[in-house]
């Protein structure tokens, strides 16, 4: 019981966060500048990122909603598009695994390439470090 409620609450927090991130990325030009015509990221990095943002996260939300009996009663086409509730569970589990792998790989990459420097860059936008230290 409690775990399901925490999962559902976390899902809505992720949806809200994703909505704010999407609006911010569009307003700031981040998507256009860094994901579509960037020389900062390789084609593989851009493809992986776009796959997660435009494919895997939406699939997690869609299949999560498709598993809900309340949503299924109001919008059965959402469940049918997933192939039924059991298929929605399987897809939801698979995309959750993909997201976990994506996050795990990123944590390892950040750890290997300089945690302090990269975190500073993500938080402040500054990529150069004074004195050459991480």
């Amino acid at each position: 019981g409690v775990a399901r409620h925490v999962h559902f609450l976390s899902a809505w927090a992720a949806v809200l966060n994703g909505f704010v991130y999407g609006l911010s990325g569009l307003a700031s030009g981040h998507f256009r500048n860094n994901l579509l015509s960037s020389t900062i990221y390789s084609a593989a990095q851009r493809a992986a990122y776009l796959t997660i943002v435009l494919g895997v996260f939406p699939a997690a939300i869609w299949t999560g909603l498709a598993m809900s009996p309340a949503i299924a009663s109001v919008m059965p086409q959402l469940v049918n598009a997933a192939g039924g509730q059991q298929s929605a569970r399987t897809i939801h589990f698979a995309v959750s695994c993909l997201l976990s792998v994506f996050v795990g790989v990123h944590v390892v990459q950040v750890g290997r390439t300089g945690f302090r420097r990269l975190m500073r860059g993500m938080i402040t936008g500054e990529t150069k470090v004074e004195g050459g230290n991480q």
Side-chain angles (χ1 to χ4, degrees):
V2 173
R4 185 178 217 175
H5 293 294
V6 170
H7 181 90
F8 190 69
L9 180 63
S10 299
W12 282 115
V15 168
L16 179 61
N17 184 44
F19 183 71
V20 170
Y21 172 75
L23 289 178
S24 172
L26 289 171
S28 70
H30 168 68
F31 296 135
R32 181 181 7 79
N33 298 332
N34 294 333
L35 296 177
L36 299 177
S37 60
S38 174
T39 57
I40 296 172
Y41 302 112
S42 71
Q45 287 173 310
R46 290 191 314 258
Y49 188 77
L50 288 170
T51 299
I52 293 294
V53 170
L54 300 176
V56 176
F57 266 121
I61 294 164
W62 161 49
T63 56
L65 290 172
M67 289 187 293
S68 167
I71 298 294
S73 68
V74 176
M75 296 182 355
Q77 63 275 17
L78 194 67
V79 180
N80 295 338
Q85 285 187 319
Q86 186 56 47
S87 292
R89 283 184 187 91
T90 303
I91 296 167
H92 193 73
F93 179 74
V95 296
S96 298
C97 290
L98 282 172
L99 287 171
S100 297
V101 168
F102 184 79
V103 168
V105 167
H106 276 78
V107 168
V108 169
Q109 287 175 330
V110 167
R112 292 187 66 197
T113 58
F115 180 81
R116 286 179 52 202
R117 179 179 56 81
L118 291 172
M119 287 298 115
R120 184 182 308 115
M122 283 186 240
I123 294 168
T124 66
E126 296 291 323
T127 56
K128 296 184 181 178
V129 179
E130 294 179 24
N133 295 332
Q134 288 190 16

